[in-house]
Amino acid sequence: MRVIIAEIKKDVKILLAYPIEIVFWIISPLLWVVPLIFQGKALIGGLHSTAFSNLAGTGEYIPYVLIGGIFSTYMFTAVWSMGNALRNEMFYGTLEHILSSPVRPFYILLGKALYNSILSTFFVAVQISICVIFFGLTITLTRIIPIVFFLLLLMIGLYGVGFIAAALTLLIKESQGILHLFEYILFLFTPIRYPVEVHPITRAVSVFIPLTYALVALRGILLGIEFDFVKNSLVLLGLDAAIVPLGIWIFMRIEKRTKTKGTLAHY
Amino acid sequence: MLKGLVKLFKKKRKDEIKAVDGVSFEIKEGEIFGLLGPNGAGKTTLIKCISTLLIPDEGTATVGGYDINKDPLGVRRMIGVLTGGERSLYWKLTPVENLKYFAALYGVPRKKTAERIDYLLELMDLKNKARERVERLSSGMKQKLSIARTLIHDPPILLIDEPTLGLDPYFARFIRGFIKDELHTKLGKTILLTTHYMDEADELCERVAFMYNGKIKALDTPVLLKQSMPQEQVLEVKCLGDLDNEVFKHFRESVSLNIGKQDGLTYIRMNTENPEDLLSRVIDTVRERVKVLSVIVTSPTLEDVFVHLTGASLKDDYSQRPQNALRDR
C-alpha cells in the first residue's frame, strides 16, 4: 500500500511541476465536450431525434453523446497515461531503478493506475460541472451511488487495459502509434458517440469491452433509459475478472521478454 | 558468487553476441572487487544480470544468499545499484522527495525513513539543498544524491557501474575516496565495481578481474597481476605528432606494445626487461617522424597487464582494437 501511495504522490508532484500542463487539464475537458454538443445540434437541429431513439432507446442525442464523451475519459486516460507511464520512466532514466527495487512491478503499475483514476475523476468532474452549469444536465444525489458503483467496475477493468498498454509500450518502445490505435478502436466499437447497434460488427465486438456496459448503465441511470442493472453489473464484474489477470499476465510476459532480450531501458 | 553466467544477445536472425561468456567468480564479504575492461567488454551486462534486470541464458549467481534466477526479489533487497549517475533521479522532485519515494520502494520502515534521509543528506553534504528541485543541483550534487538513493535501504552489497565516468578530476577523486573510506572501510559494504580506468581499479580494489569479450581473462590482486608480467619494466615514450602503428611492426617480435593517441600526442608503452637497449631503437625509429617529448622507465600498470593478456587497450581513445594494440605473444 505504501508503494502505491508513494507512486501516486510522486506522479502528482511531477504533474504539479508543469504549470502549463495543469492549465491544459483544466481547459481540455471543455474543448473535448463542447464540439460533441455542437455536432449534435448541427446534425439533429434540436434536442430530440426520433431516428436516433429507435437505436439508442432515447431521442436525446446531445445528453447521450455528452455522457459517452465524459465517461470514456476514464478509458482514454487509462490507456494514454498507463501507456506513457513507463515510457516517461524510460526518459527520466529511472525505469531500471524502480524495476531493480524489491517491489513487484504490479504495485508500481497499480499506483500509476490509481493516479490515473484521480486524474480522470478530476477531468470528469470538470466536464460534468460544465454540463450542469451550461447545458442543463441534472444529477441528483440518489443517482450518485449507482454511478460510482458502475464507475468502480469500469475502472477495475480499465486497469487491466492499462496494464496491456504499459506492456506494449515496454515492448515496442514508441507508444504514440499503438495508443492512437487503441483509442480509435474504442471509438469505433463502443457506444461513445453512437449506439453499437448501428452495425452488426460493432455490436459483436463491443460485448468484449467493459466501457460498453458501463456506458449503457450510466446512460440508463442519468437519462432514465431502461437497462438491466444486474446483467450489466455481472458482465462488468466478469470482464474485470478476465481482463485484469490477463493484463497482469501480458505485462509479466513482456517484462520477462525485455529482460531476456536486454531491451528494458531502450527507448 | 557467479557460476558459468552466460548472456547472449541476438542481433539478426542467426547472429548472436555473447556479451557474457561463462563468467564465474566469488566476491568475499566486505571486499571491493573490480571488473576492469574496455567499453563493450560485458561489464554492464554482467551487473545487470546480477541486479536481476537481465535474465541470463545460462548459469546463475547467488547474491547475499539469494539466487538471481529463483529469488530475484530477495536479491534486490540485498543490493544497491549505482548506475546512470544523475539520470537515475526525478529532476522535478527535491532530494528529500526522491529519497522518500525510493525509501518506500525499498521498504525502509516509515519511522526510520526521515532519520535515514537526514543521515544520507548529511553524509553527502546535501542538507542545504534538501528542498530544492534536483534539476537545479549541479552534476556533482546529482551524483551525490544518486549515491544517497543507492544507500537508502542500507544494502550490504553495492553494484557500482563506472562511478567516475564523465566526472571532472576533482569530483572523481571525491567519489573514489568516498567508496574506499566511507562505503568500504566505515560501512563495511561488499562492493562490485566496474571501471575502465586502471588507476581507479588499482586504487580501490582488493581484487580485480579483467573482462574482455565477455570472458574473465585474469583474476587476482592488483599487485599479483602486475607481478605476473614476464617483463618487469615498462618504457614509455611520449611524442608530439601522430605515428603510424606500422612503424613498430618490427618491435612486435620482442616486446608487448601498447600505443595510445590523444590530443595530438602519441604514447608508446613497451614491456621489456631491458629498457636501455630498447630505448635507442625506439628513438631511432620515431625521431624523424615525430618530436620525442619524454622518456620514462616505469613499473607495469594494470593496463600493461591487460594489454599483455588481451592485446587490447582499456582507454577509449585508443580502443580501435586490435589495430592500435600491436602486441605479439
Side-chain angles (χ1 to χ4, degrees):
Chain A
M1 194 62 191
R2 192 177 162 208
V3 172
I4 294 168
I5 293 168
E7 193 61 44
I8 295 170
K9 273 187 181 175
K10 180 197 79 183
D11 284 341
V12 169
K13 278 175 187 165
I14 291 174
L15 176 72
L16 294 177
Y18 294 95
I20 300 295
E21 187 80 358
I22 298 167
V23 173
F24 165 78
W25 280 106
I26 293 168
I27 292 173
S28 62
L30 185 72
L31 299 176
W32 167 244
V33 162
V34 173
L36 294 177
I37 295 167
F38 291 162
Q39 186 184 344
K41 274 193 172 175
L43 284 171
I44 298 167
L47 292 173
H48 191 89
S49 160
T50 314
F52 187 75
S53 177
N54 294 335
L55 279 174
T58 175
E60 309 293 316
Y61 174 74
I62 293 170
Y64 181 94
V65 173
L66 277 179
I67 290 165
I70 289 169
F71 290 105
S72 61
T73 300
Y74 280 97
M75 189 66 138
F76 296 124
T77 49
V79 170
W80 275 99
S81 305
M82 294 276 283
N84 280 327
L86 292 183
R87 185 159 169 78
N88 288 341
E89 298 287 353
M90 287 175 199
F91 275 125
Y92 300 150
T94 46
L95 182 65
E96 287 197 345
H97 293 279
I98 58 175
L99 293 183
S100 65
S101 69
V103 171
R104 291 186 194 283
F106 165 75
Y107 293 105
I108 290 163
L109 281 176
L110 195 58
K112 290 188 181 299
L114 287 169
Y115 160 75
N116 291 327
S117 298
I118 293 167
L119 213 60
S120 301
T121 303
F122 168 75
F123 202 50
V124 165
V126 174
Q127 285 176 324
I128 290 176
S129 304
I130 291 166
C131 293
V132 168
I133 296 165
F134 298 106
F135 301 102
L137 187 74
T138 51
I139 294 183
T140 57
L141 276 176
T142 49
R143 287 175 179 173
I144 285 179
I145 293 168
I147 289 173
V148 171
F149 172 72
F150 277 103
L151 277 182
L152 280 175
L153 289 181
L154 173 67
M155 276 192 278
I156 292 167
L158 294 186
Y159 293 165
V161 177
F163 288 146
I164 296 170
L168 288 174
T169 309
L170 212 54
L171 182 70
I172 61 172
K173 311 301 174 192
E174 174 48 60
S175 54
Q176 301 296 311
I178 195 83
L179 295 178
H180 273 300
L181 187 67
F182 251 115
E183 190 176 311
Y184 296 147
I185 288 172
L186 290 171
F187 263 123
L188 182 63
F189 292 111
T190 60
I192 296 173
R193 290 182 178 175
Y194 48 79
V196 286
E197 288 75 15
V198 76
H199 194 279
I201 295 176
T202 53
R203 189 168 51 193
V205 177
S206 69
V207 298
F208 301 105
I209 305 174
L211 187 61
T212 305
Y213 301 94
L215 286 180
V216 167
L218 290 166
R219 281 188 181 118
I221 297 162
L222 285 164
L223 302 179
I225 305 169
E226 204 175 306
F227 78 102
D228 190 334
F229 189 98
V230 176
K231 182 194 150 196
N232 279 279
S233 312
L234 288 176
V235 173
L236 265 174
L237 264 174
L239 281 174
D240 290 353
I243 292 172
V244 172
L246 179 72
I248 294 168
W249 180 78
I250 290 174
F251 182 83
M252 283 167 66
R253 292 281 300 181
I254 290 179
E255 189 206 2
K256 190 176 177 184
R257 185 187 151 98
T258 54
K259 282 186 171 182
T260 305
K261 285 188 163 270
T263 57
L264 194 61
H266 292 184
Y267 57 86
Chain B
M1 186 169 68
L2 281 73
K3 274 187 197 165
L5 216 65
V6 174
K7 183 67 208 166
L8 299 167
F9 290 124
K10 283 183 184 162
K11 286 214 93 177
K12 286 178 188 170
R13 275 193 177 176
K14 286 180 182 173
D15 286 352
E16 277 185 342
I17 291 178
K18 263 193 180 177
V20 176
D21 190 359
V23 169
S24 302
F25 58 76
E26 190 171 358
I27 302 173
K28 296 167 195 163
E29 201 178 324
E31 178 182 32
I32 304 186
F33 185 95
L35 263 182
L36 188 62
N39 290 335
K43 308 185 298 290
T44 301
T45 304
L46 190 62
I47 287 257
K48 285 186 177 179
C49 286
I50 297 169
S51 59
T52 75
L53 286 171
L54 276 176
I55 298 170
D57 293 283
E58 286 173 37
T60 191
T62 312
V63 183
Y66 297 95
D67 189 298
I68 57 167
N69 293 321
K70 291 176 189 161
D71 193 353
L73 288 183
V75 171
R76 290 180 208 161
R77 273 190 282 272
M78 301 299 288
I79 60 171
V81 186
L82 181 61
T83 59
E86 57 187 64
R87 296 293 309 158
S88 63
L89 302 161
Y90 295 98
W91 286 27
K92 291 290 176 190
L93 304 185
T94 66
V96 170
E97 288 166 345
N98 266 284
L99 294 177
K100 268 188 186 170
Y101 172 70
F102 282 102
L105 284 197
Y106 280 91
V108 179
R110 270 179 210 275
K111 284 180 186 172
K112 280 192 178 174
T113 298
E115 185 189 317
R116 187 83 192 138
I117 290 173
D118 213 40
Y119 162 75
L120 288 169
L121 290 176
E122 183 81 51
L123 185 70
M124 303 315 298
D125 198 20
L126 285 172
K127 270 205 129 173
N128 57 344
K129 301 286 178 187
R131 306 280 169 190
E132 275 192 37
R133 273 198 197 150
V134 171
E135 64 190 350
R136 295 194 189 120
L137 306 184
S138 69
S139 289
M141 287 173 182
K142 286 176 191 142
Q143 181 74 355
K144 283 180 173 181
L145 185 60
S146 296
I147 297 173
R149 175 191 56 72
T150 307
L151 296 173
I152 189 73
H153 56 303
D154 199 13
I157 298 163
L158 296 175
L159 308 178
I160 305 178
D161 192 17
E162 301 279 5
T164 58
L165 189 68
L167 298 181
D168 67 67
Y170 170 78
F171 196 66
R173 205 177 315 128
F174 164 81
I175 294 289
R176 283 198 287 268
F178 184 82
I179 291 172
K180 189 159 192 172
D181 301 334
E182 201 68 40
L183 298 180
H184 177 242
T185 310
K186 275 193 194 167
L187 300 175
K189 306 287 182 195
T190 303
I191 299 170
L192 171 61
L193 177 144
T194 76
T195 180
H196 66 283
Y197 299 130
M198 56 170 177
D199 294 339
E200 193 161 277
D202 210 350
E203 182 186 335
L204 296 179
C205 303
E206 288 154 294
R207 286 190 305 148
V208 168
F210 286 147
M211 196 164 182
Y212 186 62
N213 284 342
K215 288 184 175 165
I216 300 295
K217 295 286 182 183
L219 192 163
D220 218 321
T221 64
V223 172
L224 289 175
L225 282 169
K226 284 184 266 188
Q227 283 176 1
S228 70
M229 288 284 285
Q231 294 93 2
E232 288 180 356
Q233 290 181 304
V234 175
L235 174 69
E236 184 181 293
V237 182
K238 184 172 150 188
C239 309
L240 181 64
D242 197 3
L243 268 175
D244 186 351
N245 294 342
E246 285 299 300
V247 169
F248 295 94
K249 229 159 86 179
H250 57 286
F251 285 96
R252 291 178 185 178
E253 291 156 15
S254 53
V255 294
S256 178
L257 193 144
N258 182 21
I259 300 173
K261 292 169 186 174
Q262 193 175 11
D263 303 330
L265 300 174
T266 302
Y267 298 85
I268 307 146
R269 286 179 71 89
M270 297 168 152
N271 300 332
T272 176
E273 281 167 5
N274 262 317
E276 292 83 3
D277 291 353
L278 195 60
L279 181 59
S280 57
R281 283 173 61 204
V282 173
I283 298 291
D284 286 345
T285 305
V286 302
R287 70 196 311 168
E288 286 176 11
R289 296 175 173 88
V290 290
K291 186 179 176 186
V292 176
L293 296 177
S294 66
V295 176
I296 311 166
V297 176
T298 180
S299 304
T301 63
L302 279 180
E303 169 140 19
D304 296 315
V305 185
F306 189 86
V307 171
H308 173 73
L309 289 170
T310 65
S313 170
L314 286 168
K315 290 180 182 165
D316 289 341
D317 332 349
Y318 33 108
S319 61
Q320 299 158 24
R321 52 191 188 275
Q323 295 97 317
N324 280 346
L326 303 174
R327 192 199 137 262
D328 256 352
R329 287 159 203 267

